[in-house]
């Protein structure tokens, strides 16, 4: 099957072939940042020598009483060279996404390695009635984004097995699960790891711009919006699967098991680190289908998994109850009752008092994942003592090794962009250029979605793309009265919709192997063609949703309006100029 996959890859032609060839020529995202830092140094020196500048939108020059002029600063100045070397540890460790993501992943690593995520997803889709199999698979796939890799490694092959057992085409199940996990990457019913990652980068971009020093990230800042995406994307994935993809695939006559020749395909892809639990040695029989060649990725039988899930449910209720007590009981630490002192009642928002609660959500998800994973593991035997728990947490940090390297490069790029003042200057002139076009702001967001979707075909990492775009787009949209939460929401729509059609997506080869278990000649072009209808409809619906959302002015989450006003505007007559 490796030969088949390689042949499909080599013979890919047309626009998708060009994307693949071009993307494969790009260096690793870590080195993309290093190359961009070198380019940034050169540009900053040229901009400083030519006197590039702009008027600061919020700062006033005390000497003149007018808007403060911001000038480009060369990164090879003695001050910035000293700053680079002296502040290197702080630049890295103070990178906001780093702390958010590592804290959440400490808990999520336990939930994943204990088997909780896998058992929960397996149980949910196995219990689905045949008539509702597609929407249940799609919904669990979108919610399964909280489980990170487990959504790809567990749910997608399981969906193929369940569809085949129901007499439906297994590739349709794989397509529906892939569309939910990856195409609906940003949709969910609650915030999670992705929110911590993206809002950390957003906060770093706001801080670097110095437009609003008081602004801090709220991990729930897109909660309402991503929940709405889930509601919108679910019927789309359901319709495309049942009415477009499955009829094209034709009736399934292969039975409830994959071909024996392809059962071990998962070992030959070079992705053993993420597919080792799918090996035949670790597999369990799928009770309803008798499929002993396409293994059920869940390691625990029904009774044992149910016992573990009940224990995890009680742990989850404990965490929810604990946070509820800390919010609703009198004098609790997660409500700032003094926030509205000295402010008229009509001008004070409950969200101001709940600011500590919002900031505590990163810790809440850490504890939620940690305790549910621990409870499940204790019940099923995957966690025998505290040493097993600590080992799982340590293993989750090992998996973050690449992210740490990427974060080191991204942190210095974002910081140096701020030191040069080029980010703010670009944002000011970019906002002025957009204002001069007369385009409605919701349309600007729609164009941003499409641009992100196109960029996603070449750079697969969500964090890498946002770290590249946020230093310019976030302050630019703030100057156009669009909140940082709004900029993040627009980015998320474009980032997820085209994941499923780019061969550069890290899990694309793995999904191809899953498909080849059921159809030997299924190649890269076949997988891309199967997923294009999902990508088109998810991109269209997501773009329409973000545009309508901003037209209607609906909050994106608690204390997260779509609009934004700078804290202290400069004289409106001061234009943005380039000298």
């Amino acid at each position: 099957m490796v030969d088949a996959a390689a042949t499909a890859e080599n013979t890919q032609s047309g626009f998708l072939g060009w994307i693949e060839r071009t993307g494969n020529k790009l260096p690793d995202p870590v080195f993309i940042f290093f190359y961009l830092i070198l380019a940034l140094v050169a540009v900053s020196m040229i901009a400083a020598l030519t006197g590039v500048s702009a008027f600061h939108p919020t700062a006033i020059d005390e000497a003149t009483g007018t808007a403060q002029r911001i000038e480009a600063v060369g990164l090879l100045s003695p001050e910035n060279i000293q700053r680079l070397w002296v502040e290197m540890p702080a630049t890295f460790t103070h990178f906001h996404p780093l702390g958010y993501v590592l804290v959440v992943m400490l808990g999520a690593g336990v939930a994943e390695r204990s088997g909780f995520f896998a058992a929960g997803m397996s149980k949910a889709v196995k219990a689905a009635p045949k008539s509702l199999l597609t929407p249940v698979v799609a919904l669990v796939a979108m919610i399964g984004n909280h489980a990170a890799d487990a959504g790809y490694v567990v749910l997608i092959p399981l969906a193929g097995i369940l569809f085949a057992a129901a007499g439906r085409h297994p590739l349709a199940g794989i397509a529906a699960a892939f569309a939910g996990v990856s195409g609906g990457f940003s949709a969910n019913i609650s915030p999670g790891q992705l929110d911590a990652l993206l809002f950390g980068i957003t906060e770093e971009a706001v801080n670097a711009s110095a437009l609003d020093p008081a602004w801090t990230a709220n991990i729930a800042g897109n909660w309402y919006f991503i929940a709405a995406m889930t509601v919108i994307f679910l019927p789309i994935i359901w319709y495309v699967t049942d009415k477009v993809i499955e009829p094209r695939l034709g009736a399934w006559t292969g039975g409830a098991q994959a071909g024996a020749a392809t059962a071990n395909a998962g070992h030959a892809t070079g992705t053993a680190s993420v597919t080792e639990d799918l090996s035949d040695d670790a597999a369990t029989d799928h009770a309803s289908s008798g499929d002993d060649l396409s293994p059920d990725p869940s390691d625990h039988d029904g009774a044992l998994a149910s016992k573990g899930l009940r224990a995890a449910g009680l742990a989850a209720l404990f965490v929810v109850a604990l946070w509820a007590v800390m919010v609703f009981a009198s004098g609790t630490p997660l409500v700032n009752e003094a926030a509205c002192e000295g402010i008229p009642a009509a001008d004070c928002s409950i969200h101001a008092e709940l600011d500590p609660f919002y900031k505590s959500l990163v810790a809440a998800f850490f504890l939620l994942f940690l305790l549910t994973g621990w409870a499940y593991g204790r019940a099923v035997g995957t966690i025998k003592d505290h040493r097993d728990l600590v080992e799982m947490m340590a293993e989750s940090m090992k998996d973050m090794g690449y992210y740490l390297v990427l974060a080191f490069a991204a942190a210095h790029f974002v910081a140096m962009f701020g030191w040069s003042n080029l980010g703010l200057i670009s944002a000011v002139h970019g906002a002025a250029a957009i204002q001069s076009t007369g385009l409605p702001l919701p349309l600007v967001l729609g164009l941003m979605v499409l641009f992100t979707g196109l960029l996603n075909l070449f750079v697969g990492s969500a964090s890498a793309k946002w770290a590249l775009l946020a230093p310019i787009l976030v302050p630019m949209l703030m100057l156009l009265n669009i909140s940082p939460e709004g900029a993040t929401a627009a980015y998320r729509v474009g980032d997820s919709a085209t994941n499923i059609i780019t061969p550069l997506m890290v899990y694309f080869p793995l999904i191809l192997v899953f498909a080849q278990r059921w159809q030997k000649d299924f190649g890269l072009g076949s997988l891309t063609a199967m997923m294009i209808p999902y990508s088109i409809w998810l991109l269209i619906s997501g773009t329409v949703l973000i545009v309508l959302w901003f037209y209607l002015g609906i909050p994106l989450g608690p204390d997260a309006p779509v609009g934004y006003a700078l804290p202290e505007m400069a004289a409106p007559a001061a234009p943005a100029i380039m000298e």
Side-chain angles (χ1 to χ4, degrees), residues 45-64:
M45 295 305 297
I46 295 173
L49 292 174
T50 55
V52 174
S53 65
F55 285 114
H56 198 288
T58 62
I60 300 296
D61 188 334
E62 296 181 0
T64 63

Side-chain angles (χ1 to χ4, degrees), residues 43 93 96 123 128 160 186 221 366 399 521 527 553:
V43 172
T93 57
H96 287 90
K123 195 78 170 179
S186 286
F366 157 70
D399 288 347
D521 60 350
L527 179 57

Side-chain angles (χ1 to χ4, degrees), residues 229-465:
M229 287 176 67
T230 306
V231 173
I232 298 297
F233 285 0
L234 181 59
I236 289 175
I237 295 175
W238 187 359
Y239 177 84
V240 172
T241 301
D242 290 359
K243 301 301 182 182
V244 179
I245 301 303
E246 199 163 11
R248 289 181 59 187
L249 292 171
W252 175 246
T253 58
Q257 64 182 32
T262 63
N264 293 316
H267 296 293
T269 64
T271 55
S273 62
V274 292
T275 61
E276 57 188 3
D277 290 337
L278 299 179
S279 65
D280 291 324
D281 295 334
T284 57
D285 292 343
H286 185 260
S288 61
S289 69
D291 180 8
D292 58 352
L293 295 174
S294 284
D296 182 345
S298 177
D299 288 337
H300 308 130
D301 60 32
L304 189 60
S306 296
K307 177 184 177 182
L309 290 172
R310 283 194 297 270
L314 292 175
L317 289 176
F318 168 76
V319 175
V320 172
L322 176 63
W323 249 253
V325 168
M326 290 190 290
V327 169
F328 294 108
S330 177
T332 54
L334 295 185
V335 176
N336 181 10
E337 297 177 351
C340 292
E341 290 182 359
I343 302 176
D347 296 334
C348 184
S349 168
I350 183 63
H351 298 299
E353 296 183 345
L354 289 177
D355 183 62
F357 165 71
Y358 297 140
K359 292 179 179 178
S360 76
L361 289 177
V362 171
F365 278 105
F366 157 70
L367 198 61
L368 178 66
F369 290 143
L370 177 68
L371 293 186
T372 52
W374 172 80
Y376 180 89
R378 289 287 292 179
V380 303
T382 53
I383 297 178
K384 297 179 176 59
D385 54 33
H386 70 279
R387 291 180 177 82
D388 292 336
L389 183 69
V390 173
E391 183 178 355
M392 289 180 180
M393 297 174 74
E395 288 294 327
S396 69
M397 291 298 97
K398 290 180 183 178
D399 288 347
M400 298 300 291
Y402 176 79
Y403 173 74
L404 293 175
V405 177
L406 178 64
F408 177 81
H412 282 83
F413 171 76
V414 173
M416 294 173 72
F417 210 52
W419 300 345
S420 69
N421 288 335
L422 290 179
L424 179 57
I425 292 172
S426 300
V428 170
H429 293 302
I434 292 175
Q435 287 177 328
S436 68
T437 65
L439 291 174
L441 291 185
L443 181 58
V444 173
L445 286 179
L447 294 175
M448 176 181 165
V449 169
L450 296 177
F451 171 72
T452 303
L454 180 62
L455 182 62
N456 194 41
L457 296 174
F458 302 93
V459 182
S461 170
S463 57
K465 283 193 303 294

